[in-house]
Amino acid sequence: MSAQPHQQHPPYADPHRVMPGDGPQTLAELRAALALIDPAELVAFNARLDAARFGVDQEQVIAEARHLVALRTRPEVAAAIADSLGGRTETRPAADLLAYLEEQGAA
């Protein structure tokens, strides 16, 4: 998947998570998506990846970058941000979010 603005984004099974099949699937795709978002994000990603130890550390750096791409390219995220900034949403306590995540098995 490319992060190009003109491309249609697929519907996501869970809009609150980045599933393994969502978004960039290779380092080349991830780097291309980050470069489209902001070249500085790509530079920062490469530096973090170069400094990461093999295994879990690298996986964490890649997961964080994939989440960043999702947050910056998913239309439902952009709509939620616009609604929030426009005062069209209710605020809720962080405890509600944590309870939801625990219920979903994500926390």
Side-chain angles (χ1 to χ4, degrees):
M1 176 181 138
S2 169
Q4 296 178 13
H6 67 277
Q7 183 174 352
Q8 279 289 71
H9 293 276
Y12 293 96
D14 184 345
H16 304 287
R17 294 182 183 209
V18 177
M19 304 306 284
D22 293 344
Q25 297 295 302
T26 66
L27 282 174
E29 289 176 0
L30 183 55
R31 286 183 171 116
L34 290 168
L36 284 173
I37 290 168
D38 183 351
E41 292 292 354
L42 176 58
V43 171
F45 167 74
N46 285 330
R48 287 191 303 271
L49 190 60
D50 287 346
R53 293 183 169 272
F54 292 125
V56 175
D57 288 350
Q58 284 182 326
E59 291 172 12
Q60 183 66 30
V61 169
I62 292 167
E64 289 171 0
R66 292 182 73 233
H67 285 115
L68 175 70
V69 169
L71 286 171
R72 301 277 181 92
T73 61
R74 284 186 176 180
E76 68 272 17
V77 173
I81 291 170
D83 287 346
S84 179
L85 293 174
R88 295 181 295 272
T89 59
E90 272 184 52
T91 59
R92 294 173 55 183
D96 288 357
L97 173 61
L98 294 175
Y100 169 79
L101 291 174
E102 285 179 8
E103 182 179 294
Q104 300 298 312

